[in-house]
Amino acid sequence: MKIIFMGTPAFAVPILDMLIKNHDVLMVVTQPDKPVGRKRKLTPSPIKTFAESMGIDVFQPTRIKKDYQPILDMKADVLITAAYGQILPKGLLSGITSLNIHGSLLPAYRGAAPIQYALFDGLKETGITVMEMIYEMDAGPIILQGKISIDPTDNFQTLSNKLSLLGVKLLKEVLSDFNRYFDNRKPQDASKVTFSPLIKYDDETIDFSWPTAKIVNRIRGLAPEPGAHFTYKDNLYKVYQAVKSDIIDSSSKPSTILQTKKRLTIKTRDGAIDIMEIQAHGKKRLHVKDYLNGQTVFHIGERIKEDNDVN
């Protein structure tokens, strides 16, 4: 088949790789290069880097709503998207059959962050939906779905990798007998719709008044990027891994520091967490034991300053 592919993050790379090996990919559409790091160096998306390495033409419209005609001009058989990052306009969707590889079992978790929210909510399983795109966010008919288990050690990166490979498998199956699968697509059950909105900076803040499991799951859903964070003595710390602590303290308030030797233990609403990987602002990401070794940064009995702490 002649295909236009639209995607941006690493999640989409294995899917594009499969399409290049099995079909005629006419063009890849991805987000514009973005400034990254303290030096704000313009950096291409993982999809752009991979597409160019494979000799595929790359198109990077700043606003797809105003600049989609080059896609229609390619006269492809189908348009396939996987975490592209912009809402596609009516004019584009009405001009070509369009499929989306979505990282949830729709109608659950429509929106920009389905993988993160599956982890935030502590789900035991999730999946991929291959769907027809319509001009309503993630609301199109379902073509094929598949499930995978979420392991307790999964974070955003590992779960994204698993789902990407499942997406490859399902899309390959759909394209092998496209007309049959497409003709048998089914509408979503509107009564079961849930959403996973775009994650904002405030969503990355650790609130130690939450239950332990909720905090651990929030950290999992944000690792390794952008990372969850908290503020202590006006310094920002990012957290990449944490586990439920075996320390019991029923008298301290949430956010109280309970342990600072070899592990950093902080009181939560219903227990405590051990922070395992941490990064101080402007410093390297370290195992907490290495970070605490030889320096006194955190003090037992003090409370972490939270964005919503009024004390």
Side-chain angles (χ1 to χ4, degrees), residues 169-182:
K169 177 183 176 182
L170 296 180
L171 180 60
K172 190 173 184 179
E173 182 176 340
V174 168
L175 295 180
S176 70
D177 195 358
F178 181 73
N179 289 335
R180 179 175 70 85
Y181 276 105
F182 193 78

Side-chain angles (χ1 to χ4, degrees), residues 39 43 105 125 174 187 195-196 198 211 234 237 249 259 286 292 294 302:
K39 295 185 179 180
T43 304
L105 297 170
E125 69 175 15
V174 168
F195 293 96
S196 57
L198 185 69
D234 296 323
Y237 295 88
D249 183 325
Q259 177 64 263
L286 294 171
L292 295 173
E302 292 187 347

Side-chain angles (χ1 to χ4, degrees), residues 1-3 17-26 56 78 80 171-172 174-176:
M1 298 181 75
K2 294 181 179 180
I3 290 171
D17 185 38
M18 181 276 290
L19 291 173
I20 291 172
K21 290 175 179 176
N22 293 277
H23 299 275
D24 184 8
V25 179
L26 304 179
I56 306 295
V78 64
I80 296 173
L171 180 60
K172 190 173 184 179
V174 168
L175 295 180
S176 70

Side-chain angles (χ1 to χ4, degrees), residues 144 160 186 259:
L144 186 63
S160 292
K186 298 178 180 179
Q259 177 64 263

Side-chain angles (χ1 to χ4, degrees), residues 25-42:
V25 179
L26 304 179
M27 175 191 284
V28 165
V29 185
T30 190
Q31 295 278 52
D33 296 0
K34 292 186 176 180
V36 174
R38 283 180 288 177
K39 295 185 179 180
R40 310 303 289 165
K41 180 181 178 181
L42 278 179

Side-chain angles (χ1 to χ4, degrees), residues 109 112-124 150 154-156 159 195-205 210-223 225-228:
Y109 298 119
I115 302 174
Q116 293 95 326
Y117 275 85
L119 289 165
F120 291 170
D121 292 343
L123 297 192
K124 303 299 183 184
I150 301 177
D154 273 328
N155 62 16
F156 172 68
L159 186 55
F195 293 96
S196 57
L198 185 69
I199 293 171
K200 300 178 181 179
Y201 184 77
D202 287 349
D203 299 320
E204 300 163 13
T205 303
W210 288 347
T212 302
K214 183 175 181 179
I215 296 172
V216 170
N217 289 336
R218 182 59 57 110
I219 294 167
R220 292 168 67 204
L222 295 169
E225 291 295 336

Side-chain angles (χ1 to χ4, degrees), residues 64-236:
I64 191 68
K65 288 184 178 181
K66 293 186 175 182
D67 194 9
Y68 60 83
Q69 190 59 44
I71 299 172
L72 296 177
D73 290 345
M74 299 300 291
K75 305 297 183 184
D77 298 312
V78 64
L79 171 68
I80 296 173
T81 72
Y84 169 58
Q86 293 189 47
I87 296 174
L88 304 193
K90 261 183 190 177
L92 178 56
L93 294 174
S94 63
I96 184 172
T97 300
S98 303
L99 308 185
N100 182 39
I101 316 304
H102 187 76
S104 78
L105 297 170
L106 291 170
Y109 298 119
R110 292 181 183 177
I115 302 174
Q116 293 95 326
Y117 275 85
L119 289 165
F120 291 170
D121 292 343
L123 297 192
K124 303 299 183 184
E125 69 175 15
T126 185
I128 286 285
T129 301
V130 182
M131 54 173 287
E132 179 190 11
M133 296 189 74
I134 63 173
Y135 192 63
E136 182 181 351
M137 186 179 64
D138 300 326
I142 294 169
I143 298 172
L144 186 63
Q145 290 184 313
K147 296 180 181 179
I148 61 167
S149 298
I150 301 177
D151 296 328
T153 56
D154 273 328
N155 62 16
F156 172 68
Q157 183 176 60
T158 61
L159 186 55
S160 292
N161 292 343
K162 293 177 183 180
L163 286 168
S164 179
L165 295 178
L166 178 58
V168 168
K169 177 183 176 182
L170 296 180
L171 180 60
K172 190 173 184 179
E173 182 176 340
V174 168
L175 295 180
S176 70
D177 195 358
F178 181 73
N179 289 335
R180 179 175 70 85
Y181 276 105
F182 193 78
D183 290 345
N184 287 281
R185 62 198 187 281
K186 298 178 180 179
Q188 296 184 35
D189 184 345
S191 69
K192 297 181 179 180
V193 171
T194 60
F195 293 96
S196 57
L198 185 69
I199 293 171
K200 300 178 181 179
Y201 184 77
D202 287 349
D203 299 320
E204 300 163 13
T205 303
I206 300 171
D207 185 342
F208 291 100
S209 69
W210 288 347
T212 302
K214 183 175 181 179
I215 296 172
V216 170
N217 289 336
R218 182 59 57 110
I219 294 167
R220 292 168 67 204
L222 295 169
E225 291 295 336
H229 65 258
F230 65 87
T231 302
Y232 175 67
K233 294 186 181 296
D234 296 323
N235 293 313
L236 184 75

